[in-house]
Amino acid sequence: MTLYIDPPTWPGHGRLWSHLVSDVSYDELHLFAAGLGVPRRAFDGDHYDLPSHRYADAVAAGAVQVSSREVVRLLHSSGLRRPKRRQARRT
């Protein structure tokens, strides 16, 4: 089981975030996240959002550090990438 995490460089809600992904399956990803104690609500379609203070925990548990570009490449090449849902436009 190999999971991947990018550096915590994504701002939101007053903190920086990383993306935790699998290149094999969502089941693998959910199992790893549960082992870290990450709540399911942190799952964002094809990845988990992890706050910067949890980055070292994920790496210590075995997540491989990669660039943000590599996270996207891994998701695309595995077929696990899910595009963001578009917001309904108000007219």
Side-chain angles (χ1 to χ4, degrees), residues 5-78:
I5 190 165
D6 65 358
T9 57
W10 301 95
H13 308 286
R15 55 175 71 168
L16 295 175
W17 299 83
S18 292
H19 301 111
L20 179 68
V21 304
S22 168
D23 65 346
V24 174
S25 73
Y26 296 120
D27 290 338
E28 175 186 61
L29 179 58
H30 295 313
L31 183 64
F32 188 88
L36 288 173
V38 177
R40 188 69 174 251
R41 70 180 178 272
F43 183 65
D44 192 18
D46 57 12
H47 66 276
Y48 276 85
D49 292 321
L50 263 63
S52 59
H53 70 273
R54 298 300 313 273
Y55 182 81
D57 298 336
V59 172
V64 175
Q65 300 171 76
V66 296
S67 69
S68 297
R69 182 173 286 184
E70 184 68 3
V71 161
V72 173
R73 190 196 69 71
L74 287 163
L75 285 173
H76 279 288
S77 66
S78 68

